[in-house]
Amino acid sequence: MSSAHRFDRGHTDDLMTFLAASPSPYHAVANTAERLEKAGFRQVAETDAWDASTGGKYVTRGGAIIAWYVPEGATPASPFRIIGAHTDSPNLRVKPLPDTGSAGWRQVAVELYGGTLLNTWLDRDLGLSGRVTLRDGSHHLVNVDRPLLRVPQLAIHLDRGVNQDGLKLDKQKHMTPIWGLGEPNEGDLINFVAQEISVPAHDITGWDLMVHSVEPPAYLGRDEELLAGPRMDNLLSVHAGVAALTAAITSEGLPYIPVLAAFDHEENGSQSDTGAEGPLLGNVLERSVFARGGTYEDKARAFAGTICLSSDTGHAVHPNYTERHEPGHHPVPNGGPILKVNVNQRYATDGSGRAVFAAACERAGVPWQHFVSNNAMPCGTTIGPITAARHGIATVDIGVACLSMHSARELCGAEDPYLLASALTAFLEG
């Protein structure tokens, strides 16, 4: 399906920059905050009293960020229009006692985070990223963006049946990266990290570290109509959400309060203080109402008129496994954003939500597609049903169709990120 909307390659170029600069949820939040600041937003602390001032504001907590814009003329009962996304991706995360090794190799002990596609982490050059916490409670970002670690696959000579019987990986034994030779020493990894960020090692008392592929995003294909890169599930949606929010606030007479909510921990169930099932979004929305002099009645009215687009990647039809897809619904790259439907509420979309999404796409002049799972295959889920159930907010699940979801390196159409951002902008503008 061709797009009626002119493709802006600059948006996809900027997405590639955002992906490369955001190897962890904490970096994604920092980079999102920086873009919001440039657009005139200001950070507010959860521990401070909030005022009734208009303009753009945001709060951060760990790997989550929520931003909103109060236009002139907004009342306490003004409804919200929310873009929901998440900052985390499946990967390998450093254990509390990381220094390990065997047979003369120094290794780093890791735990598997989310639904990791294990084989995609084999034989890749891996960096180290995340954050450390110092004794005084301050956080410091870590980004060792060069080849540092590697999870080596067993040679075919020692696994003769691998191509016939399939690769079998033990999550505990086979996924431990190597990073040097010699005997492991307690404190080696954290001492290394301390040197990289120029802080005393003895001041580091906590860490949230993970590995990432250092291969940068790239256009792919004869005509470069595809985009390959890491963490597109779901930083693609975070990036599109930031672009949409900062574009929408330039519109006159916004009838809604536009919101971007990018959560952490979606890949393992959203049950955390920074996940979609936590109280963060509800607290922010309620405090925004009350700061403008609202009452419980105003909050109830605002929530009743609120709509959330939960934006996350979905499955494009795979040319080598077409039988795994629903035969009547084949989303394709560069066909525009997808509307996700599951009648068992693994996605929150209903007919009313479809109408809202269709209207936004029509206003933006972008095509859109349907996604439904094959009845014989289990259906994934998103923050959409959680948001709808926790807050009583009408929610619609959408996204961009991609291949290799949960791989260390995913693939989508190069036009689709811009088409998604355009639809999200139209949605926020109302």
Side-chain angles (χ1 to χ4, degrees), residues 96-327:
L97 301 177
D99 300 296
T100 187
S102 177
W105 295 93
R106 294 167 62 203
Q107 296 174 275
V108 175
V110 295
E111 191 173 3
L112 306 183
Y113 177 81
T116 315
L117 200 56
L118 297 180
N119 65 294
T120 67
W121 291 92
L122 302 180
D123 296 333
R124 285 189 183 272
D125 296 336
L126 304 174
L128 187 70
S129 57
R131 69 177 184 179
V132 298
T133 306
L134 304 190
R135 293 183 186 279
D136 62 5
S138 63
H139 301 295
H140 291 254
L141 293 179
V142 176
N143 186 9
V144 184
D145 195 32
R146 63 179 186 272
L148 179 69
L149 307 105
R150 182 183 178 94
V151 183
Q153 186 172 346
L154 187 63
I156 193 170
H157 313 80
L158 305 177
D159 191 6
R160 293 288 185 178
V162 63
N163 289 333
Q164 290 75 38
D165 303 330
L167 178 64
K168 297 179 176 61
L169 294 171
D170 183 293
K171 295 179 180 179
Q172 177 65 28
K173 294 194 299 182
H174 299 154
M175 297 304 298
T176 306
I178 60 173
W179 75 309
L181 298 172
E183 295 301 316
N185 296 302
E186 184 177 354
D188 276 353
L189 183 68
I190 298 307
N191 285 331
F192 167 80
V193 168
Q195 292 177 355
E196 288 289 314
I197 62 174
S198 300
V199 301
H202 63 81
D203 278 350
I204 298 177
T205 55
W207 52 85
D208 303 280
L209 299 171
M210 59 205 72
V211 306
H212 66 273
S213 172
V214 299
E215 185 180 4
Y219 288 102
L220 185 144
R222 185 194 65 180
D223 300 318
E224 296 189 338
E225 71 268 52
L226 300 171
L227 174 66
R231 300 176 294 281
M232 288 197 283
D233 179 10
N234 187 31
L235 293 187
L236 186 157
S237 293
V238 175
H239 177 267
V242 178
L245 179 59
T246 54
I249 64 173
T250 64
S251 299
E252 295 290 335
L254 282 174
Y256 307 99
I257 296 174
V259 179
L260 171 64
F263 301 100
D264 200 355
H265 301 134
E266 190 274 344
E267 297 295 358
N268 60 8
S270 296
Q271 293 183 324
S272 72
D273 69 323
T274 54
E277 197 163 343
L280 184 58
L281 176 61
N283 287 348
V284 168
L285 300 184
E286 288 179 1
R287 292 183 67 179
S288 177
V289 170
F290 298 151
R292 296 194 303 279
T295 64
Y296 179 84
E297 179 72 11
D298 292 316
K299 175 216 157 182
R301 291 172 59 198
F303 276 39
T306 293
I307 304 173
C308 174
L309 289 190
S310 165
S311 182
D312 204 344
T313 52
H315 302 294
V317 60
H318 197 302
N320 298 339
Y321 300 90
T322 55
E323 74 281 359
R324 304 291 181 97
H325 299 269
E326 207 289 315

Side-chain angles (χ1 to χ4, degrees), residues 45-64:
E46 291 186 80
T47 53
D48 290 344
W50 292 2
D51 59 37
S53 61
T54 58
K57 307 170 186 179
Y58 70 92
V59 297
T60 65
R61 183 191 291 184

